Short mmCIF file of all heavy atoms in Angstrom, two decimals:
data_model
loop_
_atom_site.label_atom_id
_atom_site.label_comp_id
_atom_site.label_asym_id
_atom_site.label_seq_id
_atom_site.Cartn_x
_atom_site.Cartn_y
_atom_site.Cartn_z
N SER A 1 8.03 22.76 -17.84
CA SER A 1 7.63 21.80 -16.83
C SER A 1 8.53 20.57 -16.89
O SER A 1 8.93 20.12 -17.96
CB SER A 1 6.17 21.37 -17.05
OG SER A 1 5.83 20.29 -16.19
N LYS A 2 8.86 20.03 -15.72
CA LYS A 2 9.66 18.82 -15.65
C LYS A 2 8.79 17.56 -15.69
O LYS A 2 9.29 16.45 -15.58
CB LYS A 2 10.48 18.82 -14.36
CG LYS A 2 11.57 19.87 -14.30
CD LYS A 2 12.37 19.75 -13.00
CE LYS A 2 13.51 20.74 -12.95
NZ LYS A 2 14.30 20.61 -11.69
N GLY A 3 7.49 17.74 -15.87
CA GLY A 3 6.58 16.61 -15.88
C GLY A 3 6.63 15.81 -17.17
O GLY A 3 7.29 16.19 -18.14
N SER A 4 5.86 14.72 -17.16
CA SER A 4 5.75 13.85 -18.33
C SER A 4 4.49 14.19 -19.10
O SER A 4 3.38 14.02 -18.59
CB SER A 4 5.71 12.38 -17.89
OG SER A 4 5.26 11.55 -18.93
N ALA A 5 4.66 14.64 -20.35
CA ALA A 5 3.50 14.99 -21.16
C ALA A 5 2.64 13.77 -21.47
O ALA A 5 1.41 13.86 -21.54
CB ALA A 5 3.96 15.65 -22.46
N ALA A 6 3.27 12.61 -21.61
CA ALA A 6 2.53 11.38 -21.90
C ALA A 6 1.59 11.03 -20.74
O ALA A 6 0.42 10.70 -20.95
CB ALA A 6 3.49 10.23 -22.18
N LYS A 7 2.11 11.09 -19.52
CA LYS A 7 1.25 10.85 -18.36
C LYS A 7 0.22 11.97 -18.23
O LYS A 7 -0.93 11.74 -17.87
CB LYS A 7 2.10 10.78 -17.09
CG LYS A 7 3.00 9.57 -17.00
CD LYS A 7 3.80 9.61 -15.70
CE LYS A 7 4.72 8.42 -15.55
NZ LYS A 7 5.52 8.50 -14.29
N GLY A 8 0.65 13.19 -18.52
CA GLY A 8 -0.23 14.33 -18.38
C GLY A 8 -1.44 14.28 -19.28
O GLY A 8 -2.51 14.79 -18.92
N GLU A 9 -1.30 13.66 -20.45
CA GLU A 9 -2.44 13.54 -21.36
C GLU A 9 -3.58 12.76 -20.72
O GLU A 9 -4.74 13.13 -20.82
CB GLU A 9 -2.01 12.88 -22.66
CG GLU A 9 -3.13 12.76 -23.67
CD GLU A 9 -2.69 12.18 -25.00
OE1 GLU A 9 -1.55 11.67 -25.07
OE2 GLU A 9 -3.48 12.24 -25.96
N VAL A 10 -3.22 11.67 -20.03
CA VAL A 10 -4.24 10.86 -19.36
C VAL A 10 -4.90 11.65 -18.24
O VAL A 10 -6.13 11.67 -18.11
CB VAL A 10 -3.60 9.57 -18.78
CG1 VAL A 10 -4.64 8.75 -18.03
CG2 VAL A 10 -2.98 8.75 -19.89
N TYR A 11 -4.09 12.33 -17.43
CA TYR A 11 -4.64 13.11 -16.32
C TYR A 11 -5.52 14.25 -16.86
O TYR A 11 -6.59 14.53 -16.34
CB TYR A 11 -3.51 13.70 -15.48
CG TYR A 11 -2.65 12.68 -14.79
CD1 TYR A 11 -1.26 12.84 -14.74
CD2 TYR A 11 -3.20 11.56 -14.17
CE1 TYR A 11 -0.45 11.91 -14.10
CE2 TYR A 11 -2.40 10.63 -13.53
CZ TYR A 11 -1.02 10.81 -13.51
OH TYR A 11 -0.23 9.88 -12.88
N PHE A 12 -5.04 14.92 -17.91
CA PHE A 12 -5.79 16.04 -18.48
C PHE A 12 -7.16 15.58 -18.98
O PHE A 12 -8.18 16.22 -18.70
CB PHE A 12 -5.00 16.68 -19.62
CG PHE A 12 -5.72 17.85 -20.25
CD1 PHE A 12 -5.59 19.13 -19.73
CD2 PHE A 12 -6.53 17.67 -21.36
CE1 PHE A 12 -6.27 20.21 -20.30
CE2 PHE A 12 -7.21 18.74 -21.94
CZ PHE A 12 -7.08 20.01 -21.41
N ASN A 13 -7.17 14.47 -19.71
CA ASN A 13 -8.42 14.00 -20.31
C ASN A 13 -9.43 13.55 -19.28
O ASN A 13 -10.65 13.58 -19.53
CB ASN A 13 -8.14 12.87 -21.30
CG ASN A 13 -7.47 13.37 -22.57
OD1 ASN A 13 -7.61 14.53 -22.94
ND2 ASN A 13 -6.73 12.50 -23.24
N THR A 14 -8.96 13.13 -18.10
CA THR A 14 -9.88 12.65 -17.07
C THR A 14 -10.19 13.70 -16.00
O THR A 14 -11.22 13.61 -15.34
CB THR A 14 -9.32 11.39 -16.37
OG1 THR A 14 -8.00 11.66 -15.90
CG2 THR A 14 -9.28 10.22 -17.34
N LEU A 15 -9.32 14.70 -15.83
CA LEU A 15 -9.51 15.69 -14.78
C LEU A 15 -9.86 17.09 -15.30
O LEU A 15 -10.59 17.83 -14.63
CB LEU A 15 -8.23 15.81 -13.93
CG LEU A 15 -7.86 14.62 -13.05
CD1 LEU A 15 -6.45 14.81 -12.48
CD2 LEU A 15 -8.86 14.44 -11.92
N CYS A 16 -9.37 17.43 -16.45
CA CYS A 16 -9.44 18.83 -16.91
C CYS A 16 -10.32 19.06 -18.14
O CYS A 16 -10.95 20.11 -18.28
CB CYS A 16 -8.04 19.35 -17.21
SG CYS A 16 -6.81 19.02 -15.94
N ALA A 17 -10.33 18.08 -19.06
CA ALA A 17 -10.97 18.29 -20.35
C ALA A 17 -12.47 18.52 -20.25
O ALA A 17 -13.06 19.19 -21.10
CB ALA A 17 -10.69 17.11 -21.28
N VAL A 18 -13.11 18.00 -19.20
CA VAL A 18 -14.55 18.16 -19.07
C VAL A 18 -14.94 19.63 -18.98
O VAL A 18 -16.00 20.04 -19.48
CB VAL A 18 -15.09 17.37 -17.84
CG1 VAL A 18 -14.55 17.95 -16.53
CG2 VAL A 18 -16.61 17.37 -17.83
N CYS A 19 -14.10 20.46 -18.40
CA CYS A 19 -14.37 21.91 -18.32
C CYS A 19 -13.60 22.69 -19.38
O CYS A 19 -14.14 23.61 -20.00
CB CYS A 19 -14.01 22.44 -16.93
SG CYS A 19 -15.10 21.87 -15.61
N HIS A 20 -12.33 22.34 -19.57
CA HIS A 20 -11.48 23.11 -20.48
C HIS A 20 -11.59 22.65 -21.94
O HIS A 20 -11.14 23.36 -22.84
CB HIS A 20 -10.01 23.01 -20.03
CG HIS A 20 -9.72 23.80 -18.80
ND1 HIS A 20 -9.53 25.17 -18.81
CD2 HIS A 20 -9.59 23.42 -17.50
CE1 HIS A 20 -9.28 25.60 -17.59
NE2 HIS A 20 -9.31 24.57 -16.77
N GLY A 21 -12.17 21.47 -22.15
CA GLY A 21 -12.27 20.93 -23.50
C GLY A 21 -11.00 20.21 -23.89
O GLY A 21 -9.92 20.51 -23.37
N PRO A 22 -11.10 19.27 -24.82
CA PRO A 22 -9.92 18.51 -25.24
C PRO A 22 -8.80 19.38 -25.81
O PRO A 22 -7.63 19.02 -25.74
CB PRO A 22 -10.47 17.57 -26.32
CG PRO A 22 -11.93 17.46 -26.03
CD PRO A 22 -12.32 18.80 -25.49
N ASP A 23 -9.19 20.55 -26.37
CA ASP A 23 -8.18 21.45 -26.94
C ASP A 23 -7.76 22.56 -25.98
O ASP A 23 -6.95 23.41 -26.32
CB ASP A 23 -8.68 22.06 -28.24
CG ASP A 23 -9.94 22.93 -28.05
OD1 ASP A 23 -10.47 22.98 -26.91
OD2 ASP A 23 -10.39 23.54 -29.04
N GLY A 24 -8.35 22.57 -24.77
CA GLY A 24 -7.99 23.59 -23.78
C GLY A 24 -8.56 24.96 -24.05
O GLY A 24 -8.15 25.94 -23.41
N LYS A 25 -9.54 25.05 -24.94
CA LYS A 25 -10.09 26.35 -25.33
C LYS A 25 -11.55 26.56 -24.92
O LYS A 25 -12.14 27.58 -25.25
CB LYS A 25 -9.99 26.52 -26.85
CG LYS A 25 -8.58 26.68 -27.38
CD LYS A 25 -8.60 27.00 -28.87
CE LYS A 25 -7.21 27.33 -29.39
NZ LYS A 25 -7.24 27.72 -30.82
N LYS A 26 -12.11 25.61 -24.20
CA LYS A 26 -13.55 25.66 -23.91
C LYS A 26 -13.92 26.77 -22.94
O LYS A 26 -14.99 27.38 -23.05
CB LYS A 26 -14.01 24.31 -23.36
CG LYS A 26 -15.50 24.19 -23.16
CD LYS A 26 -15.86 22.79 -22.69
CE LYS A 26 -17.35 22.66 -22.43
NZ LYS A 26 -17.70 21.29 -21.96
N VAL A 27 -13.05 27.06 -21.96
CA VAL A 27 -13.34 28.11 -20.98
C VAL A 27 -13.04 29.46 -21.60
O VAL A 27 -11.88 29.79 -21.90
CB VAL A 27 -12.52 27.91 -19.69
CG1 VAL A 27 -12.79 29.05 -18.70
CG2 VAL A 27 -12.87 26.57 -19.05
N SER A 28 -14.08 30.27 -21.80
CA SER A 28 -13.92 31.53 -22.52
C SER A 28 -13.45 32.68 -21.65
O SER A 28 -13.08 33.74 -22.16
CB SER A 28 -15.25 31.92 -23.18
OG SER A 28 -16.26 32.09 -22.20
N THR A 29 -13.43 32.49 -20.32
CA THR A 29 -13.06 33.58 -19.42
C THR A 29 -11.56 33.70 -19.22
O THR A 29 -11.09 34.61 -18.55
CB THR A 29 -13.74 33.40 -18.04
OG1 THR A 29 -13.42 32.10 -17.54
CG2 THR A 29 -15.26 33.53 -18.17
N GLY A 30 -10.79 32.78 -19.76
CA GLY A 30 -9.34 32.83 -19.62
C GLY A 30 -8.67 32.48 -20.94
O GLY A 30 -9.32 32.08 -21.90
N MET A 31 -7.36 32.62 -20.98
CA MET A 31 -6.63 32.30 -22.20
C MET A 31 -6.62 30.79 -22.43
O MET A 31 -6.76 30.01 -21.48
CB MET A 31 -5.19 32.83 -22.12
CG MET A 31 -4.31 32.15 -21.09
SD MET A 31 -2.58 32.71 -21.14
CE MET A 31 -2.75 34.42 -20.61
N PRO A 32 -6.52 30.34 -23.69
CA PRO A 32 -6.41 28.91 -23.97
C PRO A 32 -5.25 28.29 -23.19
O PRO A 32 -4.22 28.94 -22.99
CB PRO A 32 -6.15 28.87 -25.48
CG PRO A 32 -6.69 30.16 -26.00
CD PRO A 32 -6.46 31.16 -24.91
N LEU A 33 -5.41 27.06 -22.76
CA LEU A 33 -4.38 26.44 -21.95
C LEU A 33 -3.07 26.25 -22.72
O LEU A 33 -2.00 26.26 -22.13
CB LEU A 33 -4.87 25.10 -21.41
CG LEU A 33 -6.01 25.16 -20.40
CD1 LEU A 33 -6.31 23.78 -19.85
CD2 LEU A 33 -5.69 26.13 -19.27
N GLY A 34 -3.17 26.10 -24.05
CA GLY A 34 -1.96 26.01 -24.85
C GLY A 34 -1.14 27.28 -24.77
O GLY A 34 0.09 27.25 -24.75
N GLN A 35 -1.83 28.41 -24.66
CA GLN A 35 -1.15 29.70 -24.50
C GLN A 35 -0.66 29.87 -23.07
O GLN A 35 0.45 30.34 -22.83
CB GLN A 35 -2.12 30.83 -24.88
CG GLN A 35 -1.52 32.22 -24.79
CD GLN A 35 -2.53 33.30 -25.19
OE1 GLN A 35 -3.58 33.00 -25.76
NE2 GLN A 35 -2.22 34.54 -24.89
N ALA A 36 -1.48 29.45 -22.12
CA ALA A 36 -1.11 29.56 -20.71
C ALA A 36 0.09 28.70 -20.36
O ALA A 36 0.81 28.98 -19.40
CB ALA A 36 -2.30 29.18 -19.83
N SER A 37 0.34 27.67 -21.17
CA SER A 37 1.47 26.78 -20.90
C SER A 37 2.81 27.49 -21.01
O SER A 37 3.83 26.95 -20.58
CB SER A 37 1.45 25.58 -21.86
OG SER A 37 1.72 25.98 -23.19
N ASP A 38 2.81 28.70 -21.57
CA ASP A 38 4.04 29.49 -21.60
C ASP A 38 4.42 30.01 -20.22
O ASP A 38 5.50 30.57 -20.04
CB ASP A 38 3.88 30.68 -22.56
CG ASP A 38 3.80 30.26 -24.02
OD1 ASP A 38 4.25 29.14 -24.34
OD2 ASP A 38 3.28 31.04 -24.84
#
């Protein structure tokens, strides 16, 4: 990704973490987001 990880942390924590969890593993129906980042 050409994006900024520093900015992305703020967006992730306010838009995504509530469902995916702070570690990206909360949603059990899909792969962890750390793995999906590939």
Side-chain angles (χ1 to χ4, degrees):
S1 172
K2 292 182 177 181
S4 164
K7 291 180 180 178
E9 182 176 11
V10 177
Y11 297 138
F12 180 87
N13 288 335
T14 53
L15 292 170
C16 312
V18 66
C19 291
H20 287 281
D23 62 355
K25 291 186 173 184
K26 186 177 178 180
V27 177
S28 61
T29 54
M31 67 175 67
L33 293 186
Q35 182 180 346
S37 68
D38 290 339

